Amino acid sequence: MSGEFMKDKRGLILGVANRRSIAWGIAQTLAQEGAQLAFAYQGDRLKEGVEELAKTLPAVSPLYSCDVSSDEEIQKLKESLEKDFGRLDFLVHSIAFARKEELAGRTVDTSRDGFRVALEISSYSLIALTKALEPLMEKEGASVVALTYLGSEKAVPHYNVMGLAKASLESSIRYLAVDLGRKNIRVNGISAGPVSTLAARGISGFQSMLDDHKRRAPLGRNVEIEEIANAALFLLSPLASGITGEILFVDCGYRHVVDIPQTP
Ligand code: NAP
């Protein structure tokens, strides 16, 4: 796809770790459609890699360091964006984190601090970012999209505390949509099928998730990042102007299938 769906739109993308990140797939699609992008990455470790990727985009893209667990860093991000962009038309939240030991074994063994960290970074960060950036988004209205996963509503082996965090994220999406609708700020989620990324490989047995998805999904395959990016483009663009508080599944239909072994 190549057109001008996002011409004159300015947005912030959080969650590019490398070229395999879902956020990077979304960034490429939005850039192809004429969007001007800014990126926020977590700390210096990622700076060079994100810089290299951003250089491949047609427009110059400002980069900011922001650890979403810090209110001060979020506030600094808001001030930089205000200076560089003036307003914000969209926000992509593609961030999640849980300690590796929480993504194996049983959910009942989740530690208090592991719970806090997973929910703070993977869910509360959407609220904190939306609140800080509200003054920039209310100028002309805006669209917010966050990435989620089926583990929010089904008990997926080893997804554990991240499932709890995604349930909280999806609920936040609905509450934020209600709070911000009158300012024409829409808030939606994309529930993506499994994709082999850095974060995903931290889940114990992730390859089995990919294999099962391919076997059971009505479309008989795993989802491509471009398909997730196209859904993000839709939700962020004026094409979705009447949609808010929704979770859009991009999972090749996987969630609809109940797998009952048949006796011959
Ligand atoms: P990814 O490339 O590893 O991206 C995750 C991003 O979150 C990284 O850029 C990571 O930075 C960032 N992050 C973690 N803690 C942070 C913090 N404190 N402050 C700022 N950024 C932080 O993995 P991904 O699969 O594309 O994940 C993107 C989103 O898609 C996540 O919300 C994930 O849950 C969701 N999702 C993924 C799948 C899948 O199968 N891959 C399926 C459905 C939904 P660091 O590398 O520095 O930690």
Side-chain angles (χ1 to χ4, degrees):
M1 202 186 305
S2 178
E4 297 196 326
F5 276 117
M6 299 303 283
K7 190 167 177 285
D8 300 327
K9 300 277 186 209
R10 300 169 192 177
L12 172 68
I13 299 193
L14 296 106
V16 176
N18 56 43
R19 65 186 170 80
R20 290 203 188 81
S21 296
I22 292 174
W24 178 240
I26 293 174
Q28 287 175 294
T29 296
L30 293 172
Q32 273 166 24
E33 294 296 327
Q36 199 189 337
L37 304 176
F39 295 93
Y41 54 87
Q42 186 197 186
D44 286 343
R45 184 171 50 85
L46 294 181
K47 186 171 185 221
E48 227 173 277
V50 180
E51 248 168 20
E52 284 306 308
L53 290 173
K55 269 191 215 153
T56 66
L57 298 176
V60 178
S61 312
L63 308 182
Y64 314 105
S65 172
C66 179
D67 181 335
V68 297
S69 61
S70 157
D71 285 335
E72 291 73 34
E73 292 198 21
I74 290 177
Q75 191 51 33
K76 269 208 307 209
L77 172 68
K78 182 252 173 183
E79 284 159 18
S80 305
L81 275 168
E82 191 158 33
K83 190 157 64 66
D84 296 342
F85 268 9
R87 63 166 210 277
L88 213 55
D89 302 307
F90 63 87
L91 169 66
V92 176
H93 178 284
S94 188
I95 287 175
F97 178 78
R99 294 192 186 120
K100 199 167 168 52
E101 63 269 24
E102 307 287 359
L103 300 175
R106 308 185 308 164
T107 305
V108 73
D109 296 323
T110 303
S111 68
R112 188 180 294 273
D113 204 48
F115 180 95
R116 181 193 61 76
V117 167
L119 270 86
E120 182 180 341
I121 295 176
S122 314
S123 175
Y124 179 71
S125 61
L126 180 70
I127 296 179
L129 285 161
T130 305
K131 172 151 176 66
L133 299 174
E134 184 181 353
L136 306 188
M137 296 198 288
E138 69 188 359
K139 293 188 176 175
E140 296 193 11
S143 176
V144 178
V145 162
L147 272 296
T148 185
Y149 176 63
L150 180 65
S152 63
E153 49 183 77
K154 304 278 183 208
V156 175
H158 306 307
Y159 202 64
N160 298 6
V161 72
M162 190 51 77
L164 282 51
K166 292 301 192 190
S168 162
L169 178 75
E170 291 176 18
S171 185
S172 304
I173 286 169
R174 290 184 283 273
Y175 275 88
L176 292 172
V178 170
D179 280 354
L180 300 172
R182 296 300 163 97
K183 295 186 170 182
N184 197 25
I185 300 173
R186 299 183 291 108
V187 187
N188 292 291
I190 293 176
S191 186
V195 178
S196 188
T197 62
L198 201 61
R201 286 195 297 273
I203 304 163
S204 172
F206 177 70
Q207 187 56 45
S208 315
M209 281 166 77
L210 279 176
D211 294 345
D212 187 61
H213 194 276
K214 187 172 173 184
R215 184 176 66 80
R216 284 170 54 185
L219 295 183
R221 60 177 176 81
N222 283 303
V223 72
E224 303 283 342
I225 286 197
E226 294 72 32
E227 294 172 319
I228 302 168
N230 285 340
L233 168 65
F234 166 66
L235 288 173
L236 296 172
S237 79
L239 289 175
S241 57
I243 300 175
T244 194
E246 289 298 327
I247 305 297
L248 177 59
F249 276 76
V250 183
D251 69 345
C252 299
Y254 178 85
R255 79 166 160 142
H256 296 298
V257 177
V258 176
D259 199 11
I260 301 174
Q262 299 295 303
T263 44

